[in-house]
DNA sequence: GGGTGTTATATAACGTGTTATAGATTAAAT
DNA sequence: ATTTAATCTATAACACGTTATATAACACCC
């Protein structure tokens, strides 16, 4: 048995570790989706959810809502277009922007997911994380906000100045 | 301003979110490494650290130690070979296994990193996470262990049986 | 009102993870 | 002893994120 270095090294490998856990969680989530017979990728859901919540959004707004870069959003929306879950049309007032909206098929998928799949996933994750002694979601939010406020690279400089 | 769906959806998008934060953290870590003038990728460090801690390891052991799949380990070790930080030789007793060890150059890098870079990174991450009201590292460990014990997909079934 | 800068999206190239599978070596079984 | 199964590493193909850059449309300014 080999020791888990990433775990052993603690804060030093926090990035790798969060990624690793996230990948694992998302893979497990995918399994739940597949078992339900849905033909969609876990990573595509946030896009549909964003449009469902806010109404038609542009590529750039979607990228921002989902927290990835614009080319990534362009690609995922391209997939959802292929699958027929969304529709894309130039914004009437600005031809540069493309408004992405849910098709009927997409809305059906979202409605069904909201009723059946999402609660199941959320419950499973809550079951996994809920009993931890700290509010993990708030902590993640704090980390995100902290990084946005002062990136890691500048936390040394700041410290050395003191 | 568009709302952050991944954050809004909470447990539902936990996988995406952990990944996202991990990527961000690792990118920031990379910046610290680059500023120090080291010619190495953040993701390669755990491999060097694993060998430094445990002595020469095979590809499979490295994959396990770092928590990725074997093909991923093969690739990263290939890079470290190119860079001259590690050496690889067939195990004397089993020609299938390849023992990966640190070269002098690799050991120098690890020694220097242990003194200068790693403490800086660990301190910065601790600065970011340390003041949270829960012990985040323990929680991550609990999540990892929880997933290993009962994968997400089976946490529904279990619940429905109750 | 035509040039110039800015903004929005698309595309290309790459990094790094995954799964599936092939190839080589060892272990087991008949 | 030869065949068969298991194990270890390498390779191929793909997923999905990134950065850098091209293209098209808009906004501004002289």
């Amino acid at each position: 048995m080999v020791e888990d270095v990433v775990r052993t090294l603690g804060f030093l490998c926090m990035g790798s570790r969060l990624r690793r856990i996230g990948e694992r969680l998302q893979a497990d989530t995918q399994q739940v989706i597949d078992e339900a017979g849905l033909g969609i990728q876990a990573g595509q859901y946030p896009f549909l959810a964003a449009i469902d919540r806010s109404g038609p959004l542009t590529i750039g707004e979607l990228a921002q809502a989902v927290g990835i870069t614009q080319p990534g959003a362009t690609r995922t929306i391209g997939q959802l277009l292929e699958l027929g879950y969304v529709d894309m049309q130039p914004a009437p007032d600005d031809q540069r922007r493309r408004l992405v909206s849910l098709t009927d098929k997409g809305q059906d998928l979202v409605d069904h997911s909201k009723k059946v799949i999402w609660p199941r996933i959320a419950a499973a994750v809550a079951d996994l994380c809920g009993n931890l002694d700290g509010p993990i979601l708030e902590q993640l939010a704090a980390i995100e906000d902290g990084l946005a406020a002062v990136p890691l690279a500048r936390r040394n400089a700041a410290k050395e100045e003191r």
Side-chain angles (χ1 to χ4, degrees), chain A:
Chain A
M1 187 51 195
V2 187
E3 82 170 341
D4 181 338
V5 217
V6 172
R7 194 187 280 211
T8 303
L9 293 181
F11 282 136
L12 182 56
C13 290
M14 184 101 168
S16 295
R17 195 165 176 197
L18 288 172
R19 252 178 77 159
R20 192 172 80 174
I21 300 173
E23 273 158 14
R24 172 74 199 274
L25 248 182
Q26 219 171 348
D28 277 30
T29 301
Q30 187 64 54
Q31 204 183 333
V32 175
I33 296 169
D34 291 344
E35 282 173 8
L38 281 285
I40 192 168
Q41 298 300 114
Q44 298 170 339
Y45 259 139
F47 289 83
L48 301 180
I51 303 173
D52 178 54
R53 292 182 60 86
S54 307
L57 293 172
T58 66
I59 294 280
E61 288 167 337
L62 280 167
Q64 210 186 327
V66 174
I68 64 173
T69 55
Q70 169 263 310
T74 296
R75 181 177 347 188
T76 300
I77 291 302
Q79 296 165 352
L80 291 171
L81 276 168
E82 288 274 325
L83 292 167
Y85 292 127
V86 301
D87 187 40
M88 185 162 70
Q89 298 197 349
D93 56 323
D94 184 343
Q95 299 286 99
R96 290 171 304 181
R97 315 169 79 211
R98 306 294 169 84
L99 274 174
V100 182
S101 51
L102 292 176
T103 59
D104 290 349
K105 185 179 170 188
Q107 188 65 58
D108 286 350
L109 175 62
V110 169
D111 291 342
H112 180 250
S113 300
K114 274 201 281 199
K115 252 183 296 189
V116 179
I117 308 297
W118 292 352
R120 189 179 303 175
I121 295 169
V125 177
D127 181 48
L128 176 68
C129 306
N131 298 332
L132 302 178
D133 53 353
I136 185 93
L137 289 176
E138 278 76 7
Q139 293 175 344
L140 292 180
I143 292 174
E144 288 172 323
D145 293 341
L147 273 179
V150 183
L152 217 59
R154 258 192 278 134
R155 287 177 182 263
N156 306 295
K159 209 151 223 171
E160 280 160 15
E161 279 164 16
R162 288 170 205 161

